[in-house]
Amino acid sequence: MAKNERVIFLSDCQSFYASVEKATHPGLENLPVVVAGDPARRSGIISAACPIAKSFGVSTAQRLGEALQLCPDAIVMRPHMQRYIDVSLAITDIYKEYTDLVEVFSIDEQFLDVTGSLNHFHSTPEELAVMIQKKVAASMNIRIRVGIGPTKILAKQATDNFAKKNGDGIFTLGKEVRKNLHQIPRFIVFLHYGVMDMKKLR
């Protein structure tokens, strides 16, 4: 990224609800965990699925019955919204150790403007992202993915289209990649944003 550009992170918690359940119940670490409405009746919609469950083809917004056909051994957890809110707030507090400019975008996503933090931590954007990633993992047992760009929109695209697919979970949307953003279908680039959300991302 150019020296005169802002450095914005969009941090995303991987499979957030399922990850919180695993962090709360360490015995579930290596098991396929899904979060859904009514585990007792085996009905409802999947709110979150951990990577192990996803490897069987389970996906968010899928019917629980369909998910259990794909992954019969899935551990189904009832949602615990207050717990998720508490963990999200705790993660936000960790981010504030690295920059005062933290903006909550959703329960599992936050924007961080780290433009002024790089000199303080004597790091590149990628090095700082790794520092934060390790701190969240050590403190909360939650894996985060970080997209890096000069604006909120580009940081969000770096996360959704690249960092989530990277093994290390970090991606910088450099100028060369930005030139090729037109190759990403518009519905992917703007899928998550209504008019009001676009104003938030400017």
Side-chain angles (χ1 to χ4, degrees):
M1 294 180 64
K3 290 183 179 180
N4 61 342
E5 288 185 324
R6 294 168 65 202
V7 181
I8 308 297
F9 290 177
L10 187 281
S11 176
D12 167 84
C13 297
Q14 183 179 44
S15 305
F16 184 54
Y17 295 175
S19 294
V20 173
E21 296 298 342
K22 286 194 170 195
T24 305
H25 307 283
L28 300 178
E29 181 178 0
N30 297 313
L31 298 175
V33 171
V34 300
V35 178
D38 194 339
R41 297 178 60 184
R42 310 302 257 189
S43 64
I45 300 296
I46 301 295
S47 299
C50 76
I52 298 174
K54 288 180 178 178
S55 71
F56 288 88
V58 176
S59 61
T60 302
Q62 191 174 51
R63 292 181 181 276
L64 179 56
E66 296 173 4
L68 290 174
Q69 289 179 359
L70 294 169
C71 185
D73 295 327
I75 307 300
V76 184
M77 305 293 289
R78 183 184 296 276
H80 298 93
M81 289 308 303
Q82 188 57 54
R83 182 182 300 161
Y84 307 149
I85 292 169
D86 292 343
V87 172
S88 178
L89 291 172
I91 291 174
T92 299
D93 286 340
I94 292 173
Y95 295 155
K96 289 179 179 178
E97 296 176 15
Y98 297 89
T99 175
D100 293 331
L101 302 176
V102 178
E103 179 182 340
V104 175
F105 187 59
S106 68
I107 193 169
D108 62 347
E109 295 177 300
Q110 287 98 334
F111 287 107
L112 292 73
D113 187 333
V114 298
T115 309
S117 303
L118 301 179
N119 287 337
H120 179 76
F121 288 96
H122 306 289
S123 66
T124 65
E126 294 77 13
E127 289 168 344
L128 185 59
V130 170
M131 288 183 208
I132 298 173
Q133 193 180 54
K134 289 181 176 178
K135 179 65 179 288
V136 173
S139 302
M140 308 302 300
N141 201 22
I142 301 289
R143 183 173 188 260
I144 64 170
R145 287 80 62 88
V146 181
I148 304 170
T151 68
K152 293 178 186 176
I153 291 175
L154 292 175
K156 174 70 172 168
Q157 297 315 309
T159 300
D160 288 351
N161 294 301
F162 301 100
K164 289 183 178 181
K165 302 172 185 177
N166 273 1
D168 62 7
I170 295 170
F171 188 84
T172 299
L173 205 62
K175 288 186 176 180
E176 289 304 312
V177 179
R178 287 179 234 164
K179 291 179 182 178
N180 298 317
L181 279 180
H182 66 278
Q183 296 178 6
I184 300 175
R186 183 172 294 185
F187 79 91
I188 293 178
V189 176
F190 296 111
L191 180 63
H192 302 289
Y193 311 130
V195 174
M196 294 304 295
D197 285 332
M198 288 299 294
K199 291 179 180 179
K200 289 171 61 178
L201 289 170
R202 289 174 183 164

